[in-house]
Amino acid sequence: TLTLGTPSAPMVVELRANGSPLAGATITWSTSNGSVANSSTSTDANGRASTTVTPSASGELTVTATFPA
């Protein structure tokens, strides 16, 4: 459960290509309720990128991470 106005724990995505980490890829984040700490992040050497979300209203919340393939 997320608390209104409080950032979530980090949400992490991991990108891999042919089993290897995909570093330097841009991930775009969005949410249906509230705000994300970073609307865009880059994957690290392990292919991981993260952000947090802070809900602004009660109810369902969806976070979307996109990567232009």
Side-chain angles (χ1 to χ4, degrees):
T1 302
L2 298 176
T3 303
L4 294 179
T6 302
S8 67
M11 295 171 293
V12 180
V13 295
E14 182 175 299
L15 295 182
R16 299 180 90 59
N18 299 318
S20 297
L22 187 57
T26 300
I27 306 296
T28 302
W29 301 87
S30 62
T31 182
S32 62
N33 175 356
S35 61
V36 289
N38 304 97
S39 60
S40 178
T41 57
S42 295
T43 55
D44 62 16
N46 297 314
R48 296 180 182 158
S50 66
T51 194
T52 60
V53 63
T54 302
S56 60
S58 59
E60 190 172 307
L61 180 143
T62 301
V63 176
T64 304
T66 58
F67 163 68

